Amino acid sequence: MDNKHISKHTTFYAIGLSYKKADAEIRGRFSLDSNAIQTLLGQAKNENIEALVVTSTCNRTEIYGFAEHPFQLIKLLCDNSQGTVEDFQKVAYVYKNQEAISHLFKVGTGLDSQILGDFEIISQLKTAFTESKSKNLMNAFLERLINSVIQASKKIKNETEISSGATSVSFAAVRYIFNNVENISNKNILLFGTGKIGRNTCENLVKHTKHDHITLINRTKDKAERLARKLDVIVKDYTDLQLEIQKADVLVVATGAQNPTVDKAILNLKKPLLILDLSIPKNVHENVQDLNNVTLVHMDHLSQMTDETLENRKKHIPAAEAIIEEIKEEFITWTKGRKFAPAIHALKAKLNTIKEKELSSQRKKSSNFDEEQAEMISNRIIQKITNHFANHLKDENTMVDESIEWIEKIFQIEAK
């Protein structure tokens, strides 16, 4: 597939930012909660965007979609987040056509994750797809592409060991706690927030320390209670947060709030406190570091921790890349076929029109005209001609757009 256009009027783009160039603070400005995503999709619909999907995680915020110019997608992102175009230009990326396709494959298969082989993004991509489809912001190209990425992700997970071993932000958080807090089994651990990372962190803690020293607090108490029943830990009311922080030796913050929920004003501490902020945007205000007995560790620091497990995963990158190339090639072949199919159909229709005129003329000229024989021979000739053109367009060295343009000119047709 050449890189000129995927459709005649719009181009396929991937725009966004990730942990690679944007720190947690900047990622926080561009993060989109579920309400913001819904508003963005509605705006895209009103602005006649043909198809797009939106993902926003702790590590990245991205839009994949069709536009006449990438700024249409950048504007959607900035209009619905706290980010500005100036911020975007400093740290973000814009990919088009082939590069955008390749980027989505890398992201969706965990090769571009902050922790190599983390497949969390694929479930978020599935959710994004469902949301866009429900708003009629999906076309055949994007649907096929996302399904291809899901297929590649599944195959890599099943056929390589790139996600083997326990490693994730939550695992890194627990390991940090065990490496830096003495006698952890006798220390009080408070977990504030029970989202995905919060739940995983709690599960890892429960495996390695005493249950009666772990307390959960969540704004919505019933969510915390459901997790507490499963893991046999203590639950307290959100109104008890300040009191429970005073009792804690370790505070893990993993809420989904858009603004800090913990700052030095609520810390009336009588002993040292280790705070791990696993939230994007940051949910612990930097001013807590003004207090002498507070140690604050953010997600980005934990994600930089490398160990034998991660080094072992790197060995499986070539196998994962080979799977991506195989499935991506199938997708590219499909797009090329989809692109030239209308031209081939139009060519066939044109040849059939020529055939009908010629057969009609021969009927009038010949009294013993063999209609059936003429029909069969001419149909076979038409099939052979269209096959020749189709094989030419399928060839990987063919400039598809240019060839289609010539076919349309020569035969005076217009593919629809």
Side-chain angles (χ1 to χ4, degrees):
M1 186 176 76
D2 69 294
N3 276 348
K4 284 187 179 179
H5 299 288
I6 283 171
S7 77
K8 288 189 176 179
H9 306 294
T10 58
T11 302
F12 180 61
Y13 292 103
I15 67 103
L17 61 153
S18 75
Y19 67 94
K20 288 186 174 179
K21 284 183 73 177
D23 62 21
E25 184 184 346
I26 293 288
R27 297 202 307 276
R29 288 182 210 165
F30 284 95
S31 70
L32 301 165
D33 60 19
S34 56
N35 289 333
I37 288 174
Q38 291 300 315
T39 306
L40 189 155
L41 293 175
Q43 185 178 335
K45 191 72 179 168
N46 291 336
E47 293 178 6
N48 298 315
I49 297 291
E50 179 187 351
L52 87 171
V53 291
V54 184
T55 60
S56 187
T57 71
C58 55
N59 293 330
R60 67 181 68 247
T61 298
E62 295 181 326
I63 299 176
Y64 296 88
F66 287 84
E68 293 176 18
H69 191 279
F71 185 72
Q72 290 173 277
L73 304 181
I74 296 167
K75 182 176 180 295
L76 282 173
L77 176 57
C78 294
D79 284 353
N80 292 283
S81 69
Q82 303 301 312
T84 64
V85 174
E86 290 73 26
D87 286 338
F88 185 91
Q89 288 172 332
K90 289 174 191 171
V91 298
Y93 41 80
V94 175
Y95 300 117
K96 64 186 286 190
N97 291 341
Q98 286 277 30
E99 286 186 336
I101 292 166
S102 295
H103 180 68
L104 181 53
F105 268 99
K106 280 189 72 176
V107 169
T109 55
L111 293 191
D112 202 61
S113 295
Q114 193 166 18
I115 293 181
L116 178 66
D118 185 351
F119 282 94
E120 195 63 43
I121 187 68
I122 201 67
S123 62
Q124 289 150 344
L125 197 56
K126 288 176 183 176
T127 301
F129 167 76
T130 303
E131 292 287 349
S132 291
K133 195 161 187 180
S134 70
K135 297 281 192 302
N136 293 316
L137 282 164
M138 189 59 54
N139 60 11
F141 175 95
L142 191 51
E143 182 164 354
R144 179 84 174 219
L145 175 57
I146 290 173
N147 283 329
S148 295
V149 172
I150 292 168
Q151 180 190 352
S153 172
K154 189 175 181 181
K155 195 168 184 182
I156 287 169
K157 202 168 188 179
N158 292 338
E159 296 182 14
T160 77
E161 294 180 33
I162 203 161
S163 60
S164 62
T167 183
S168 62
V169 170
S170 56
F171 181 78
V174 172
R175 193 177 56 190
Y176 184 91
I177 292 169
F178 277 81
N179 289 343
N180 291 276
V181 181
E182 292 182 7
N183 302 316
I184 188 63
S185 292
N186 298 320
K187 298 293 170 70
N188 293 323
I189 301 171
L190 174 61
L191 183 69
F192 178 34
T194 55
K196 184 84 174 176
I197 289 177
R199 290 198 306 274
N200 290 345
T201 304
C202 193
E203 287 173 3
N204 280 319
L205 284 168
V206 164
K207 286 177 188 174
H208 303 290
T209 188
K210 292 179 183 178
H211 296 205
D212 58 0
H213 288 280
I214 301 173
T215 301
L216 295 183
I217 291 181
N218 196 60
R219 284 178 185 274
T220 312
K221 191 177 181 181
D222 62 337
K223 286 184 180 178
E225 286 174 336
R226 283 199 296 273
L227 183 60
R229 282 194 294 272
K230 179 183 172 186
L231 300 177
D232 189 25
V233 294
I234 300 162
V235 175
K236 294 287 185 177
D237 290 325
Y238 175 62
T239 52
D240 294 328
L241 179 63
Q242 195 166 347
L243 179 63
E244 291 300 320
I245 288 175
Q246 287 179 31
K247 298 179 188 175
D249 299 288
V250 178
L251 169 63
V252 179
V253 182
T255 72
Q258 290 298 301
N259 296 300
T261 52
V262 175
D263 62 19
K264 73 175 184 180
I266 69 167
L267 300 183
N268 183 20
L269 303 178
K270 297 177 176 61
K271 58 180 176 177
L273 177 66
L274 168 64
I275 304 177
L276 278 69
D277 186 359
L278 309 185
S279 313
I280 294 289
K282 290 180 179 179
N283 274 201
V284 179
H285 200 289
E286 295 291 334
N287 66 16
V288 300
Q289 295 182 100
D290 296 345
L291 304 173
N292 293 329
N293 51 356
V294 169
T295 303
L296 174 63
V297 177
H298 195 265
M299 175 188 284
D300 281 1
H301 175 75
L302 296 171
S303 298
Q304 289 163 8
M305 294 168 65
T306 58
D307 61 8
E308 191 178 333
T309 300
L310 284 175
E311 288 304 312
N312 187 54
R313 286 183 175 194
K314 290 178 184 176
K315 299 173 189 173
H316 303 284
I317 290 175
E321 288 177 335
I323 290 170
I324 289 172
E325 282 308 308
E326 175 196 341
I327 294 174
K328 187 169 71 172
E329 198 53 47
E330 289 173 6
F331 173 73
I332 299 298
T333 301
W334 174 82
T335 60
K336 288 181 79 170
R338 180 171 168 264
K339 186 185 242 183
F340 67 67
I344 293 298
H345 290 316
L347 172 61
K348 198 166 188 177
K350 180 72 172 186
L351 294 174
N352 273 311
T353 301
I354 295 170
K355 177 196 80 171
E356 290 302 332
K357 285 182 180 177
E358 190 58 35
L359 291 184
S360 178
S361 174
Q362 291 302 317
R363 282 188 206 101
K364 293 171 185 174
K365 291 178 182 178
S366 176
S367 57
N368 60 347
F369 179 64
D370 190 335
E371 179 97 28
E372 190 176 332
Q373 186 75 359
E375 185 81 29
M376 183 183 72
I377 292 169
S378 54
N379 283 344
R380 287 185 66 184
I381 291 170
I382 288 171
Q383 191 59 50
K384 285 181 183 294
I385 292 170
T386 52
N387 283 347
H388 272 288
F389 278 105
N391 289 333
H392 166 72
L393 292 171
K394 285 177 186 175
D395 190 289
E396 61 183 26
N397 297 316
T398 297
M399 298 291 285
V400 179
D401 287 332
E402 196 174 304
S403 293
I404 289 172
E405 194 176 327
W406 276 107
I407 291 168
E408 290 173 351
K409 278 183 180 178
I410 292 166
F411 290 95
Q412 297 177 335
I413 58 175
E414 188 175 338
K416 293 180 181 179

PDB file of all heavy atoms in Angstrom, residues 1-8 10-13 96-98 339 399-403 405:
ATOM      1  N   MET A   1       0.855  -1.202   0.000  1.00  0.00           N
ATOM      2  CA  MET A   1       0.000   0.000   0.000  1.00  0.00           C
ATOM      3  C   MET A   1       0.877   1.233   0.000  1.00  0.00           C
ATOM      4  O   MET A   1       1.792   1.356   0.788  1.00  0.00           O
ATOM      5  CB  MET A   1      -0.878  -0.012   1.258  1.00  0.00           C
ATOM      6  CG  MET A   1      -1.894   1.107   1.269  1.00  0.00           C
ATOM      7  SD  MET A   1      -2.964   0.974   2.716  1.00  0.00           S
ATOM      8  CE  MET A   1      -1.860   1.576   3.970  1.00  0.00           C
ATOM      9  N   ASP A   2       0.653   2.138  -0.919  1.00  0.00           N
ATOM     10  CA  ASP A   2       1.460   3.346  -0.947  1.00  0.00           C
ATOM     11  C   ASP A   2       0.959   4.317   0.112  1.00  0.00           C
ATOM     12  O   ASP A   2      -0.105   4.162   0.675  1.00  0.00           O
ATOM     13  CB  ASP A   2       1.421   3.985  -2.333  1.00  0.00           C
ATOM     14  CG  ASP A   2       0.060   4.561  -2.648  1.00  0.00           C
ATOM     15  OD1 ASP A   2      -0.873   3.766  -2.771  1.00  0.00           O
ATOM     16  OD2 ASP A   2      -0.064   5.788  -2.774  1.00  0.00           O
ATOM     17  N   ASN A   3       1.755   5.342   0.340  1.00  0.00           N
ATOM     18  CA  ASN A   3       1.474   6.224   1.469  1.00  0.00           C
ATOM     19  C   ASN A   3       0.722   7.488   1.083  1.00  0.00           C
ATOM     20  O   ASN A   3       0.654   8.422   1.850  1.00  0.00           O
ATOM     21  CB  ASN A   3       2.788   6.610   2.160  1.00  0.00           C
ATOM     22  CG  ASN A   3       3.226   5.559   3.136  1.00  0.00           C
ATOM     23  OD1 ASN A   3       2.446   4.663   3.451  1.00  0.00           O
ATOM     24  ND2 ASN A   3       4.447   5.631   3.580  1.00  0.00           N
ATOM     25  N   LYS A   4       0.154   7.537  -0.124  1.00  0.00           N
ATOM     26  CA  LYS A   4      -0.509   8.776  -0.535  1.00  0.00           C
ATOM     27  C   LYS A   4      -1.797   9.001   0.243  1.00  0.00           C
ATOM     28  O   LYS A   4      -1.933   9.943   0.980  1.00  0.00           O
ATOM     29  CB  LYS A   4      -0.811   8.729  -2.023  1.00  0.00           C
ATOM     30  CG  LYS A   4       0.420   8.956  -2.890  1.00  0.00           C
ATOM     31  CD  LYS A   4      -0.016   9.052  -4.337  1.00  0.00           C
ATOM     32  CE  LYS A   4       1.183   9.304  -5.239  1.00  0.00           C
ATOM     33  NZ  LYS A   4       0.780   9.369  -6.640  1.00  0.00           N
ATOM     34  N   HIS A   5      -2.755   8.112   0.037  1.00  0.00           N
ATOM     35  CA  HIS A   5      -4.050   8.290   0.690  1.00  0.00           C
ATOM     36  C   HIS A   5      -4.664   6.933   0.979  1.00  0.00           C
ATOM     37  O   HIS A   5      -4.503   5.994   0.228  1.00  0.00           O
ATOM     38  CB  HIS A   5      -5.029   9.066  -0.209  1.00  0.00           C
ATOM     39  CG  HIS A   5      -4.565  10.443  -0.543  1.00  0.00           C
ATOM     40  ND1 HIS A   5      -4.543  11.466   0.368  1.00  0.00           N
ATOM     41  CD2 HIS A   5      -4.092  10.950  -1.701  1.00  0.00           C
ATOM     42  CE1 HIS A   5      -4.080  12.556  -0.216  1.00  0.00           C
ATOM     43  NE2 HIS A   5      -3.795  12.263  -1.465  1.00  0.00           N
ATOM     44  N   ILE A   6      -5.402   6.879   2.056  1.00  0.00           N
ATOM     45  CA  ILE A   6      -6.188   5.690   2.323  1.00  0.00           C
ATOM     46  C   ILE A   6      -7.594   5.920   1.801  1.00  0.00           C
ATOM     47  O   ILE A   6      -8.282   5.023   1.401  1.00  0.00           O
ATOM     48  CB  ILE A   6      -6.147   5.356   3.830  1.00  0.00           C
ATOM     49  CG1 ILE A   6      -4.799   4.703   4.134  1.00  0.00           C
ATOM     50  CG2 ILE A   6      -7.259   4.429   4.240  1.00  0.00           C
ATOM     51  CD1 ILE A   6      -4.496   4.494   5.561  1.00  0.00           C
ATOM     52  N   SER A   7      -8.046   7.143   1.790  1.00  0.00           N
ATOM     53  CA  SER A   7      -9.272   7.468   1.070  1.00  0.00           C
ATOM     54  C   SER A   7      -8.997   8.756   0.310  1.00  0.00           C
ATOM     55  O   SER A   7      -7.981   9.392   0.496  1.00  0.00           O
ATOM     56  CB  SER A   7     -10.446   7.646   2.045  1.00  0.00           C
ATOM     57  OG  SER A   7     -10.356   8.887   2.684  1.00  0.00           O
ATOM     58  N   LYS A   8      -9.898   9.144  -0.571  1.00  0.00           N
ATOM     59  CA  LYS A   8      -9.611  10.272  -1.461  1.00  0.00           C
ATOM     60  C   LYS A   8      -9.610  11.614  -0.738  1.00  0.00           C
ATOM     61  O   LYS A   8      -8.956  12.546  -1.169  1.00  0.00           O
ATOM     62  CB  LYS A   8     -10.619  10.297  -2.609  1.00  0.00           C
ATOM     63  CG  LYS A   8     -10.385   9.165  -3.611  1.00  0.00           C
ATOM     64  CD  LYS A   8     -11.239   9.332  -4.829  1.00  0.00           C
ATOM     65  CE  LYS A   8     -10.926   8.265  -5.872  1.00  0.00           C
ATOM     66  NZ  LYS A   8     -11.745   8.382  -7.071  1.00  0.00           N
ATOM     67  N   THR A  10      -9.734  12.004   3.060  1.00  0.00           N
ATOM     68  CA  THR A  10      -9.181  12.038   4.415  1.00  0.00           C
ATOM     69  C   THR A  10      -8.014  11.063   4.524  1.00  0.00           C
ATOM     70  O   THR A  10      -7.853  10.170   3.706  1.00  0.00           O
ATOM     71  CB  THR A  10     -10.248  11.667   5.464  1.00  0.00           C
ATOM     72  OG1 THR A  10     -10.762  10.363   5.173  1.00  0.00           O
ATOM     73  CG2 THR A  10     -11.377  12.674   5.499  1.00  0.00           C
ATOM     74  N   THR A  11      -7.221  11.275   5.560  1.00  0.00           N
ATOM     75  CA  THR A  11      -6.036  10.451   5.806  1.00  0.00           C
ATOM     76  C   THR A  11      -6.162   9.831   7.192  1.00  0.00           C
ATOM     77  O   THR A  11      -6.747  10.416   8.100  1.00  0.00           O
ATOM     78  CB  THR A  11      -4.769  11.331   5.728  1.00  0.00           C
ATOM     79  OG1 THR A  11      -4.723  11.936   4.435  1.00  0.00           O
ATOM     80  CG2 THR A  11      -3.508  10.525   5.943  1.00  0.00           C
ATOM     81  N   PHE A  12      -5.584   8.658   7.368  1.00  0.00           N
ATOM     82  CA  PHE A  12      -5.607   7.990   8.662  1.00  0.00           C
ATOM     83  C   PHE A  12      -4.416   8.475   9.493  1.00  0.00           C
ATOM     84  O   PHE A  12      -3.269   8.410   9.055  1.00  0.00           O
ATOM     85  CB  PHE A  12      -5.539   6.476   8.483  1.00  0.00           C
ATOM     86  CG  PHE A  12      -5.562   5.724   9.788  1.00  0.00           C
ATOM     87  CD1 PHE A  12      -6.652   5.830  10.641  1.00  0.00           C
ATOM     88  CD2 PHE A  12      -4.492   4.926  10.163  1.00  0.00           C
ATOM     89  CE1 PHE A  12      -6.677   5.149  11.853  1.00  0.00           C
ATOM     90  CE2 PHE A  12      -4.513   4.242  11.367  1.00  0.00           C
ATOM     91  CZ  PHE A  12      -5.606   4.357  12.214  1.00  0.00           C
ATOM     92  N   TYR A  13      -4.717   8.993  10.687  1.00  0.00           N
ATOM     93  CA  TYR A  13      -3.687   9.530  11.582  1.00  0.00           C
ATOM     94  C   TYR A  13      -3.728   8.855  12.954  1.00  0.00           C
ATOM     95  O   TYR A  13      -4.790   8.401  13.404  1.00  0.00           O
ATOM     96  CB  TYR A  13      -3.890  11.030  11.815  1.00  0.00           C
ATOM     97  CG  TYR A  13      -3.656  11.915  10.612  1.00  0.00           C
ATOM     98  CD1 TYR A  13      -4.718  12.443   9.892  1.00  0.00           C
ATOM     99  CD2 TYR A  13      -2.355  12.233  10.215  1.00  0.00           C
ATOM    100  CE1 TYR A  13      -4.502  13.264   8.782  1.00  0.00           C
ATOM    101  CE2 TYR A  13      -2.129  13.060   9.117  1.00  0.00           C
ATOM    102  CZ  TYR A  13      -3.204  13.568   8.406  1.00  0.00           C
ATOM    103  OH  TYR A  13      -2.986  14.375   7.317  1.00  0.00           O
ATOM    104  N   LYS A  96       0.990   9.139  10.239  1.00  0.00           N
ATOM    105  CA  LYS A  96      -0.051   9.028   9.219  1.00  0.00           C
ATOM    106  C   LYS A  96       0.091   7.723   8.446  1.00  0.00           C
ATOM    107  O   LYS A  96       1.184   7.188   8.300  1.00  0.00           O
ATOM    108  CB  LYS A  96      -0.025  10.234   8.277  1.00  0.00           C
ATOM    109  CG  LYS A  96       1.230  10.388   7.447  1.00  0.00           C
ATOM    110  CD  LYS A  96       1.227  11.694   6.644  1.00  0.00           C
ATOM    111  CE  LYS A  96       0.284  11.616   5.468  1.00  0.00           C
ATOM    112  NZ  LYS A  96       0.441  12.765   4.550  1.00  0.00           N
ATOM    113  N   ASN A  97      -1.041   7.238   7.961  1.00  0.00           N
ATOM    114  CA  ASN A  97      -1.124   6.049   7.119  1.00  0.00           C
ATOM    115  C   ASN A  97      -0.275   4.886   7.641  1.00  0.00           C
ATOM    116  O   ASN A  97      -0.525   4.387   8.723  1.00  0.00           O
ATOM    117  CB  ASN A  97      -0.789   6.408   5.675  1.00  0.00           C
ATOM    118  CG  ASN A  97      -1.865   7.283   5.051  1.00  0.00           C
ATOM    119  OD1 ASN A  97      -2.988   7.340   5.530  1.00  0.00           O
ATOM    120  ND2 ASN A  97      -1.531   7.975   3.987  1.00  0.00           N
ATOM    121  N   GLN A  98       0.749   4.463   6.883  1.00  0.00           N
ATOM    122  CA  GLN A  98       1.524   3.283   7.266  1.00  0.00           C
ATOM    123  C   GLN A  98       2.135   3.407   8.661  1.00  0.00           C
ATOM    124  O   GLN A  98       2.118   2.447   9.436  1.00  0.00           O
ATOM    125  CB  GLN A  98       2.651   3.043   6.247  1.00  0.00           C
ATOM    126  CG  GLN A  98       2.170   2.476   4.928  1.00  0.00           C
ATOM    127  CD  GLN A  98       2.015   0.963   5.000  1.00  0.00           C
ATOM    128  OE1 GLN A  98       1.732   0.403   6.047  1.00  0.00           O
ATOM    129  NE2 GLN A  98       2.181   0.298   3.868  1.00  0.00           N
ATOM    130  N   LYS A 339      -9.251  -1.288  -1.838  1.00  0.00           N
ATOM    131  CA  LYS A 339      -9.051  -0.038  -2.546  1.00  0.00           C
ATOM    132  C   LYS A 339      -9.286  -0.190  -4.042  1.00  0.00           C
ATOM    133  O   LYS A 339      -9.922   0.641  -4.674  1.00  0.00           O
ATOM    134  CB  LYS A 339      -7.623   0.447  -2.286  1.00  0.00           C
ATOM    135  CG  LYS A 339      -7.301   1.811  -2.852  1.00  0.00           C
ATOM    136  CD  LYS A 339      -5.842   2.115  -2.627  1.00  0.00           C
ATOM    137  CE  LYS A 339      -5.670   3.319  -1.762  1.00  0.00           C
ATOM    138  NZ  LYS A 339      -4.277   3.689  -1.578  1.00  0.00           N
ATOM    139  N   MET A 399       2.080   1.186  -7.813  1.00  0.00           N
ATOM    140  CA  MET A 399       1.538   2.412  -7.230  1.00  0.00           C
ATOM    141  C   MET A 399       0.032   2.374  -7.473  1.00  0.00           C
ATOM    142  O   MET A 399      -0.455   2.693  -8.565  1.00  0.00           O
ATOM    143  CB  MET A 399       2.152   3.641  -7.906  1.00  0.00           C
ATOM    144  CG  MET A 399       3.661   3.752  -7.721  1.00  0.00           C
ATOM    145  SD  MET A 399       4.125   4.123  -6.015  1.00  0.00           S
ATOM    146  CE  MET A 399       3.689   5.856  -5.928  1.00  0.00           C
ATOM    147  N   VAL A 400      -0.705   1.924  -6.490  1.00  0.00           N
ATOM    148  CA  VAL A 400      -2.123   1.602  -6.672  1.00  0.00           C
ATOM    149  C   VAL A 400      -2.939   2.809  -7.131  1.00  0.00           C
ATOM    150  O   VAL A 400      -3.699   2.734  -8.103  1.00  0.00           O
ATOM    151  CB  VAL A 400      -2.721   1.001  -5.377  1.00  0.00           C
ATOM    152  CG1 VAL A 400      -4.199   0.692  -5.558  1.00  0.00           C
ATOM    153  CG2 VAL A 400      -1.975  -0.260  -4.989  1.00  0.00           C
ATOM    154  N   ASP A 401      -2.799   3.930  -6.441  1.00  0.00           N
ATOM    155  CA  ASP A 401      -3.596   5.113  -6.795  1.00  0.00           C
ATOM    156  C   ASP A 401      -3.357   5.536  -8.245  1.00  0.00           C
ATOM    157  O   ASP A 401      -4.286   5.838  -8.986  1.00  0.00           O
ATOM    158  CB  ASP A 401      -3.261   6.283  -5.860  1.00  0.00           C
ATOM    159  CG  ASP A 401      -3.832   6.088  -4.471  1.00  0.00           C
ATOM    160  OD1 ASP A 401      -4.857   5.398  -4.364  1.00  0.00           O
ATOM    161  OD2 ASP A 401      -3.253   6.608  -3.505  1.00  0.00           O
ATOM    162  N   GLU A 402      -2.070   5.546  -8.628  1.00  0.00           N
ATOM    163  CA  GLU A 402      -1.707   5.977  -9.974  1.00  0.00           C
ATOM    164  C   GLU A 402      -2.278   5.015 -11.025  1.00  0.00           C
ATOM    165  O   GLU A 402      -2.816   5.442 -12.067  1.00  0.00           O
ATOM    166  CB  GLU A 402      -0.181   6.032 -10.086  1.00  0.00           C
ATOM    167  CG  GLU A 402       0.332   6.809 -11.273  1.00  0.00           C
ATOM    168  CD  GLU A 402       1.843   6.944 -11.216  1.00  0.00           C
ATOM    169  OE1 GLU A 402       2.368   7.457 -10.207  1.00  0.00           O
ATOM    170  OE2 GLU A 402       2.480   6.504 -12.179  1.00  0.00           O
ATOM    171  N   SER A 403      -2.171   3.716 -10.758  1.00  0.00           N
ATOM    172  CA  SER A 403      -2.676   2.716 -11.702  1.00  0.00           C
ATOM    173  C   SER A 403      -4.189   2.800 -11.861  1.00  0.00           C
ATOM    174  O   SER A 403      -4.718   2.702 -12.968  1.00  0.00           O
ATOM    175  CB  SER A 403      -2.282   1.305 -11.225  1.00  0.00           C
ATOM    176  OG  SER A 403      -0.888   1.136 -11.289  1.00  0.00           O
ATOM    177  N   GLU A 405      -5.994   5.398 -11.419  1.00  0.00           N
ATOM    178  CA  GLU A 405      -6.274   6.629 -12.172  1.00  0.00           C
ATOM    179  C   GLU A 405      -6.140   6.393 -13.689  1.00  0.00           C
ATOM    180  O   GLU A 405      -6.973   6.848 -14.479  1.00  0.00           O
ATOM    181  CB  GLU A 405      -5.300   7.721 -11.711  1.00  0.00           C
ATOM    182  CG  GLU A 405      -5.701   9.118 -12.151  1.00  0.00           C
ATOM    183  CD  GLU A 405      -4.748  10.174 -11.588  1.00  0.00           C
ATOM    184  OE1 GLU A 405      -4.226   9.990 -10.453  1.00  0.00           O
ATOM    185  OE2 GLU A 405      -4.517  11.162 -12.300  1.00  0.00           O
TER     186      GLU A 405
END
